[in-house]
Amino acid sequence: MSKYMNSRFSGLEAYTPGEQPTDMQYVKLNTNESPYPPSDGVIAAVNSEEVSKLNLYPDPTCKALKDAIASLYGVKRENVFVSNGSDDILNFFFMAFCDEREHPVKFPSISYGFYRVYAELYGVDYKAVPLNEDFTINLADYMANDANVVIANPNAPTGIALSLDDVESIVVANPERVVLVDEAYVDFGAESAVSLTNKYKNLIVVCTYSKSRSMAGARLGFAIADAELIADLEKIKYSTNPYNINRLTMVAGIAAIKDNDYYVNNCKKVIEAREYTVKKLVNMGFEVTPSKANFIFAKSKDIGGKELYLELKKRGILVRHFDTPAICEYNRITVGSREQMDKLLLTVEHILKEKGENI
Ligand code: PMP
């Protein structure tokens, strides 16, 4: 840290993104990207005509993109906020609604690591609430109306989802607080809470194009909520970066909505590959949480989490390992194509066999 940096950040531990190594070609199962490319419509939309307009700023109101999202989700434009990835929206949420005194926040202790980073970045009073032993959320911990709530549904890295009724019970129990439901992985089999946003003024549902819509590289996230909450987020956006969606991402985002069927079908393929992989891993002696996401959270009885991660990496397969003690025996494995999963399974089988022979 240089002597110039604000000392309030001296203890801040920044978020560590999944590795993106370039030393060799990996089977990349570590950052929950889609194995499928964007739709033909998206590829056609990002054309030289659009590139030739890059001398001009994009529409700061993002009207056409918001309208496309609003029509797909059956809400109004005023209920939609768009930004540079859903991380950006989480950032705005912490900035807009949380602080060190009257607006504390709580979230599960095992969840998306960025919640804690944002809370610390803004000096917010936060509580990381332990999960049950089986990694499920204890609903009773979120019923006190004493803090904003952030919950990933399905949760990451466990993939375990809450039912819509459970999400609604949290929203109802916290009328004086904002409840943010992070639905980055909802399209892979969980129930979305978007339908509740016209009923409750304190619910924000955050979604992303990065997973089910194959656009992690375009950086596009959106939130759906009551118009007043959206206006609050807009205020923060116009106070930080009014042109938060670039022209190419804007046209790609609109085209992706038009090709929704393509993405729904890809999600089906990912779900099938997930169930197939889970079955095989369980047969190999893995313990696996019931994932409704595009990743599998798995622990072997025969090999440690870190060791398996390193052995897979050596053999050209990247998965995500977290050093956090409570989950260090697990790996989070992104569900790719059936071909990628077969490669993973075969490699795991080899590693376990080799290990067995060396005992
Ligand atoms: N929420 C969760 C739970 C995630 O795992 C991720 C992906 N790292 C994000 C939000 C952010 O996704 P993006 O910024 O690519 O939309």
Side-chain angles (χ1 to χ4, degrees):
M1 187 172 139
S2 79
K3 65 178 181 182
Y4 306 105
M5 196 185 196
N6 190 329
S7 59
R8 117 184 127 85
F9 299 126
S10 60
L12 179 67
E13 241 184 79
Y15 176 71
T16 314
E19 27 176 4
Q20 310 281 1
T22 49
D23 57 331
M24 62 181 270
Q25 185 84 35
Y26 287 94
V27 177
K28 242 188 123 277
L29 304 176
N30 69 328
T31 45
N32 300 339
E33 291 142 323
S34 172
Y36 304 110
S39 65
D40 291 344
V42 167
I43 292 166
V46 185
N47 54 30
S48 53
E49 192 190 330
E50 287 305 322
V51 173
S52 73
K53 294 182 207 157
L54 286 179
N55 56 316
L56 303 172
Y57 283 108
D59 170 17
T61 69
C62 306
K63 184 166 158 287
L65 175 58
K66 284 187 178 183
D67 283 346
I69 294 169
S71 74
L72 182 66
Y73 285 87
V75 297
K76 297 195 182 110
R77 187 194 304 157
E78 69 206 37
N79 302 117
V80 179
F81 180 76
V82 288
S83 208
N84 189 281
S86 55
D87 281 339
D88 209 30
I89 303 179
L90 296 172
N91 181 25
F92 289 171
F93 168 85
F94 279 85
M95 230 192 278
F97 302 112
C98 305
D99 65 29
E100 67 280 23
R101 269 189 298 277
E102 285 141 40
H103 305 94
V105 65
K106 55 174 91 160
F107 43 78
S109 60
I110 298 172
S111 193
Y112 184 36
F114 233 136
Y115 306 150
R116 190 190 298 260
V117 176
Y118 287 130
E120 288 185 0
L121 177 67
Y122 296 114
V124 170
D125 175 13
Y126 73 92
K127 187 167 176 204
V129 183
L131 293 175
N132 295 323
E133 216 161 283
D134 61 357
F135 296 130
T136 54
I137 282 169
N138 180 17
L139 282 185
D141 292 333
Y142 298 90
M143 296 298 181
N145 199 20
D146 60 352
N148 294 333
V149 174
V150 176
I151 283 185
N153 195 39
N155 198 8
T158 64
I160 298 174
L162 288 175
S163 70
L164 186 56
D165 284 348
D166 287 348
V167 171
E168 184 165 12
S169 68
I170 295 173
V171 176
V172 169
N174 291 280
E176 298 308 315
R177 307 292 171 175
V178 187
V179 176
L180 183 148
V181 182
D182 179 347
E183 295 194 348
Y185 301 104
V186 79
D187 297 330
F188 302 100
E191 292 175 280
S192 172
V194 165
S195 62
L196 302 179
T197 56
N198 64 3
K199 217 165 139 189
Y200 300 104
K201 285 185 148 312
N202 63 326
L203 169 65
I204 301 182
V205 177
V206 177
C207 308
T208 180
Y209 277 65
S210 295
K211 319 293 177 183
S212 57
R213 291 193 173 87
S214 302
M215 269 173 51
R219 312 305 303 126
L220 182 53
F222 58 100
I224 298 181
D226 181 77
E228 280 188 18
L229 289 178
I230 296 296
D232 293 340
L233 292 172
E234 292 290 349
K235 189 171 191 172
I236 299 292
K237 159 184 150 158
Y238 280 101
S239 307
T240 50
N241 182 9
Y243 301 107
N244 60 342
I245 308 288
N246 71 72
R247 278 181 170 274
L248 301 182
T249 295
M250 196 96 75
V251 291
I254 295 165
I257 297 287
K258 289 190 188 131
D259 287 341
N260 195 49
D261 291 350
Y262 167 78
Y263 295 105
V264 170
N265 195 45
N266 285 349
C267 288
K268 266 194 213 140
K269 288 195 274 186
V270 168
I271 293 169
E272 276 166 24
R274 179 183 72 210
E275 298 310 309
Y276 165 81
T277 311
V278 163
K279 224 183 254 169
K280 299 258 180 183
L281 286 173
V282 169
N283 284 343
M284 282 191 249
F286 278 81
E287 234 177 74
V288 174
T289 54
S291 173
K292 295 281 186 202
N294 67 339
F295 53 81
I296 296 165
F297 196 52
K299 168 173 109 167
S300 166
K301 62 179 169 43
D302 302 310
I303 186 167
K306 180 128 195 197
E307 188 181 355
L308 177 59
Y309 154 76
L310 290 170
E311 289 297 324
L312 283 169
K313 187 171 178 186
K314 251 202 266 175
R315 292 165 172 80
I317 297 182
L318 269 188
V319 297
R320 184 95 197 245
H321 178 260
F322 300 91
D323 267 327
T324 322
I327 55 172
C328 66
E329 294 309 332
Y330 285 79
N331 278 292
R332 192 195 67 190
I333 306 164
T334 301
V335 179
S337 64
R338 175 71 180 259
E339 248 179 353
Q340 289 176 311
M341 301 325 278
D342 276 330
K343 207 162 182 179
L344 166 91
L345 290 164
L346 204 63
T347 312
V348 170
E349 209 176 304
H350 282 156
I351 293 169
L352 293 181
K353 196 162 164 243
E354 253 178 54
K355 189 158 170 82
E357 282 163 4
N358 289 336
I359 288 173

